[in-house]
Amino acid sequence: MEFLPFIEGLEIRLQKPLPGIGAQAKMSSMSRISELMNFIMPKNVKQSSVLLLLYPHNQTIWMVLMQRPIYRGVHSGQVSLPGGKFEDGDESLIFTALREAKEEIGIDPVAVQILGLLTELYIPPSNFLVTPIVGFMHYRPTFFANSEEVAKIIEIRLIDLLEEANIRTKSIKLPLGFSAKTPCYVIDDTVIWGATAMILNEFRELSESVYFG
């Protein structure tokens, strides 16, 4: 499907009811599903947002992810969307996502047009409530990875996200040293799991009718 017709259809679809937590839960482990069913929002939750950025390249639709460096923390080495914590001075969660995308991978906020928001997702290990922001650019960005926050910039095609064969179940080694079986996306050599996979699955489900319809 061509880029602009998809973007126009996606903007309309984002104004309708979202797939929500049901779509997110399909890419979570059984223990995570139990947490979601019994979830009570902590009073001290930290607001944050991530940017799901679409752009055209080589006659198809792409999106960008990044791999975090190895460090002493719960999200060490994980694949994620650019984004981060809402800071004092941020005028909105959209501003937060754009600011972080610029800091982490060099995205020009002025060039990004916002299409809408996905369902927020709580991440227990870091106590973040994440709001995914969907946006697009009319051209492929020039990326600049912030080496302190980004080990690798990863570009994937939308059509690969929509391909069911790329959904697997793998044993994932967690930062605390033990492993857990969890659904994930495996696209080329990239394994996407956890909160990022949950966010992408909601996006995948609402995008299917636009792309294939």
Side-chain angles (χ1 to χ4, degrees):
M1 186 176 187
E2 293 185 2
F3 181 71
L4 286 180
F6 175 77
I7 293 298
E8 291 168 0
L10 181 61
E11 185 172 25
I12 294 170
R13 178 62 186 86
L14 283 165
Q15 296 171 8
K16 300 177 181 179
L18 298 172
I21 192 172
Q24 295 174 346
K26 292 176 184 177
M27 295 301 290
S28 61
S29 65
M30 292 304 297
S31 61
R32 183 75 168 98
I33 291 173
S34 177
E35 288 178 350
L36 291 170
M37 291 175 63
N38 300 290
F39 173 65
I40 299 175
M41 185 70 68
K43 293 181 179 180
N44 65 339
V45 67
K46 296 177 286 187
Q47 295 286 340
S48 65
S49 58
V50 294
L51 180 64
L52 197 161
L53 181 68
L54 303 162
Y55 52 92
H57 180 54
N58 289 340
Q59 280 82 53
T60 192
I61 305 165
W62 291 75
M63 54 199 305
V64 62
L65 304 166
M66 61 187 212
Q67 185 171 22
R68 297 199 175 277
I70 302 299
Y71 67 100
R72 295 179 65 86
V74 294
H75 300 303
S76 172
Q78 291 184 13
V79 174
S80 68
L81 292 159
K85 181 182 176 182
F86 180 88
E87 301 285 358
D88 292 341
D90 288 355
E91 58 193 47
S92 67
L93 287 168
I94 292 175
F95 183 94
T96 301
L98 293 173
R99 174 181 56 75
E100 289 281 349
K102 180 180 180 180
E103 293 174 3
E104 292 175 333
I105 60 173
I107 297 296
D108 179 7
V110 177
V112 179
Q113 298 185 45
I114 303 301
L115 294 170
L117 281 59
L118 299 178
T119 304
E120 60 188 17
L121 175 65
Y122 178 63
I123 304 178
S126 53
N127 194 31
F128 279 128
L129 181 64
V130 180
T131 298
I133 312 295
V134 182
F136 76 98
M137 292 175 61
H138 285 286
Y139 55 90
R140 182 190 183 200
T142 300
F143 298 109
F144 298 97
N146 179 338
S147 60
E148 293 184 359
E149 300 185 66
V150 181
K152 182 181 179 181
I153 292 173
I154 301 165
E155 296 177 87
I156 64 171
R157 300 186 306 165
L158 174 63
I159 191 64
D160 291 328
L161 182 69
L162 299 178
E163 177 56 64
E164 288 192 22
N166 289 330
I167 299 176
R168 316 277 181 82
T169 297
K170 293 179 71 69
S171 181
I172 303 292
K173 188 174 182 180
L174 304 176
L176 296 178
F178 58 90
S179 298
K181 282 192 173 182
T182 183
C184 59
Y185 288 99
V186 181
I187 300 176
D188 296 326
D189 295 325
T190 299
V191 179
I192 308 165
W193 63 282
T196 302
M198 295 171 73
I199 290 169
L200 290 180
N201 202 58
E202 182 181 35
F203 178 72
R204 174 183 178 273
E205 289 198 4
L206 67 83
S207 295
E208 282 181 324
S209 60
V210 178
Y211 194 92
F212 297 115

